[in-house]
Amino acid sequence: MTAQILDGKATAAAIKSDLTARVAALKARGVTPGLGTLLVGDDPGSRWYVNGKHKDCAQVGIGSIQRELPDTATQEEIEAVVRELNADPACTGYIVQLPLPKGIDTNRVLELMDPAKDADGLHPMNLGRLVLNETGPLPCTPQGVVQLLRHHGVEINGAHVVVVGRGVTIGRSIPLLLTRKSENATVTQCHTGTRDLAAHLKQADIIVAAAGVPHIVKPEHVKPGAAVLDVGVSRDENGKIVGDVHPGVAEVAAWISPNPGGVGPMTRAQLLVNVVEAAERDAAAVSAG
Ligand SMILES: Nc1nc(=O)c2c([nH]1)NC[C@@H]1CN(c3ccc(C(=O)N[C@@H](CCC(=O)O)C(=O)O)cc3)C=[N+]21
């Protein structure tokens, strides 16, 4: 058996085509969504990601506001730019590219962001809204995983999902999304304190591998017919991506997300969704008010 591909590139393209129409409708009402990014320092990887986000914006008609600071920037200088983005009417949503340089209090920066402009869905207010089943921006990588499964018709309702990892970008919040009534999954969260990871993985209908440990999910861990999502991004000595999922898993699973070409493009698409939905909420409030 060879697994079917959970094609993140194609799914992200479909989402972007839907967004293009919604952005045009917003513009017709006089609202232009604009994504801001704040990049601190010049890590080539971070710069590549940020540039990719602005390319995506150009494709769907979203405006771009690019802010940069040197890696010597102080806490105060970073916070000053955050305040400017909060106040800038052209910036309807933004992200502070992570990680920030050593010595910067990242949580203090993130908490200063206007939650209504939080394109990452990682502001404590928005994570709290998710817990309370209120509407708001959703964390991009977890929502990208959910959309990738939905788009390919993989049954989430009633499925047993095993998440490997408890990092802030996905592991900690994906169980919140998957256990909503609209998804209705049963979730087991595994992490470095888990006693028998292999036994948990073997029970899974869906595996979300987000540990950042190369090839931690091996073919013998996977129940035949499972769906396996590879969220891990490690690099080998040539800079090539090595995921959390061993390539041999494709012979056991029914569905597998390639890496690259799986969850990464979906994360980027969801960022645009958050920006457009925030602008749509604003536009609706203006019409109502
Ligand atoms: N505030 C903030 N928000 C983020 O969302 C955020 C961040 N900081 N810091 C860094 C991580 C990383 N990240 C990725 C997004 C897209 C791909 C992506 O599209 N990857 C492609 C290509 C990968 C390649 O070839 O190098 C793929 O998977 O096909 C990867 C990684 C967002 N991040």
Side-chain angles (χ1 to χ4, degrees), residues 8-9 38 45-46 48-50 52-53 56 94-100 110 113 118-120 122 140-141 169 230-233 235 239-241 258-269 271:
K9 255 187 161 164
L38 171 54
S46 292
W48 188 87
Y49 287 137
V50 166
K53 286 162 192 174
D56 291 342
Y94 69 97
I95 64 151
V96 177
Q97 182 71 18
L98 302 176
L100 290 171
L110 297 183
M113 293 174 71
D118 167 28
D120 267 330
L122 293 177
C140 296
T141 307
T169 39
D230 189 355
V231 189
V233 182
R235 305 254 170 202
K240 202 171 153 257
I241 289 184
N259 189 2
V263 177
M266 294 298 294
T267 299
R268 273 163 64 170
L271 183 71

